[in-house]
Amino acid sequence: MRLGVNIDHIATLREARKTTEPDPIKGALIARDSGADQITFHLREDRRHIQDDDVKKLKSVITEIPLNMEMAATEEMLEIATSIKPDRVTLVPEKRDEITTEGGLNVISMSSFLKSYIKELKDSGISVATFVDPVEEQIKASLEVGADAVELHTGEYANAKTESQRKTELFRIKKGAVYGRSLGLDVFAGHGLTYLNVKPVAAIEEIEELNIGHSIIANSIFWGLEEAVRKMKKLILEARGLV
Ligand code: PXP
């Protein structure tokens, strides 16, 4: 199982003062050296955290592990992605006033647009994932529009208020993962995962990769980024019986 570390919130802190620190590129290098298997970042249309210049720098320094660019399916982002060429693009829904990515992409409702959009990305050698709720119809639609993978949105699981709700959501993720694999898609997961809730999701064997940001960056304030990445990696490997 791979851990993708999302470095957006290092840039969030920098942008709070519009200064140069903390530097998300330095964060990406520390995460890489501390066991991250991938660096994930979200270039938002409003540029609230990661900036265009960060993307260029990430591409030039992160060469040993893959770069996963989360983005909305817009013309502007298509141009940036096809010129930067990250290893993967993860298509996410984006609303200007949301605090974070709320809910998965509605692949069904934009399927004909996504088909040609994804083709352009794949034609430039970029692998494509859709960030979807663990719902069979959205997973199937992702295959039909040409995605290589789905990243299952774990937000409902992370936000569950009761143990039974949490179990229900975990089961939905498991079912979605099994279904995605049965279609031949690669299956990833992420959103809202923390040191306390990651293990049951990491134990789902059909899921190959988790993308985790906020909890790692938040705890790096107290532990340092190196330790924060190492601890998360250890938890997910433990959940898989790999350490
Ligand atoms: N995966 C996707 C597709 C996301 O949009 C996000 C948030 O940017 C994450 C993973 C990471 O979520 P979190 O910051 O809650 O760990």
Side-chain angles (χ1 to χ4, degrees):
M1 154 148 290
R2 300 186 299 270
L3 170 63
V5 174
N6 182 314
I7 57 164
D8 295 348
H9 297 308
I10 303 177
T12 300
L13 192 53
R14 177 191 64 190
E15 295 305 309
R17 282 292 176 92
K18 300 275 175 218
T19 178
T20 55
E21 62 179 8
D23 178 7
I25 314 306
K26 184 171 174 185
L29 292 170
I30 293 172
R32 178 201 65 190
D33 295 342
S34 310
D37 301 293
Q38 167 169 275
I39 299 298
T40 295
F41 62 94
H42 185 172
L43 184 67
R44 292 188 71 103
E45 292 184 86
D46 62 10
R47 308 298 198 269
R48 70 172 68 157
H49 37 57
I50 295 293
Q51 305 295 310
D52 297 61
D53 202 39
D54 295 325
V55 178
K56 288 186 197 134
K57 287 184 187 153
L58 280 169
K59 175 67 185 180
S60 72
V61 302
I62 299 296
T63 51
E64 296 90 344
I65 56 173
L67 267 187
N68 172 28
M69 176 175 177
E70 300 171 357
M71 61 182 223
T74 64
E75 282 309 315
E76 183 201 16
M77 290 300 150
L78 183 62
E79 239 172 72
I80 296 172
T82 51
S83 94
I84 295 284
K85 296 194 198 304
D87 299 273
R88 186 195 307 145
V89 155
T90 301
L91 295 173
V92 303
E94 208 176 284
K95 291 191 220 113
R96 273 177 197 274
D97 51 359
E98 68 188 359
I99 295 173
T100 180
T101 315
E102 293 161 3
L105 191 68
N106 190 341
V107 179
I108 298 167
S109 73
M110 33 188 329
S111 66
S112 63
F113 168 76
L114 282 179
K115 223 177 238 176
S116 59
Y117 195 92
I118 289 175
K119 184 173 183 313
E120 286 202 49
L121 289 166
K122 289 177 68 170
D123 285 350
S124 8
I126 302 167
S127 136
V128 179
T130 54
F131 185 43
V132 293
D133 291 325
V135 169
E136 285 195 358
E137 292 77 11
Q138 296 290 355
I139 297 168
K140 183 158 178 266
S142 298
L143 176 78
E144 286 166 357
V145 295
D148 303 292
V150 284
E151 179 171 337
L152 301 177
H153 195 305
T154 51
E156 294 284 333
Y157 162 79
N159 292 333
K161 296 274 181 293
T162 64
E163 193 49 32
S164 89
Q165 218 181 329
R166 205 177 68 90
K167 275 201 185 129
T168 305
E169 292 304 328
L170 187 65
F171 183 66
R172 283 178 78 213
I173 297 166
K174 169 77 181 170
K175 223 170 130 232
V178 169
Y179 183 65
R181 289 295 308 150
S182 77
L183 297 180
L185 291 163
D186 289 332
V187 179
F188 317 134
H191 207 280
L193 296 176
T194 70
Y195 296 86
L196 298 178
N197 69 18
V198 71
K199 274 190 151 180
V201 177
I204 298 174
E205 60 191 63
E206 291 78 12
I207 298 178
E208 292 168 49
E209 174 190 301
L210 299 178
N211 286 293
I212 307 180
H214 185 266
S215 188
I216 293 176
I217 305 305
N219 282 286
S220 73
I221 291 173
F222 307 114
W223 302 333
L225 185 55
E226 181 177 338
E227 187 63 14
V229 173
R230 284 192 199 289
K231 279 191 179 172
M232 190 60 87
K233 182 82 186 267
K234 184 158 179 277
L235 288 176
I236 69 176
L237 293 179
E238 277 172 9
R240 285 299 249 266
L242 294 171
V243 288

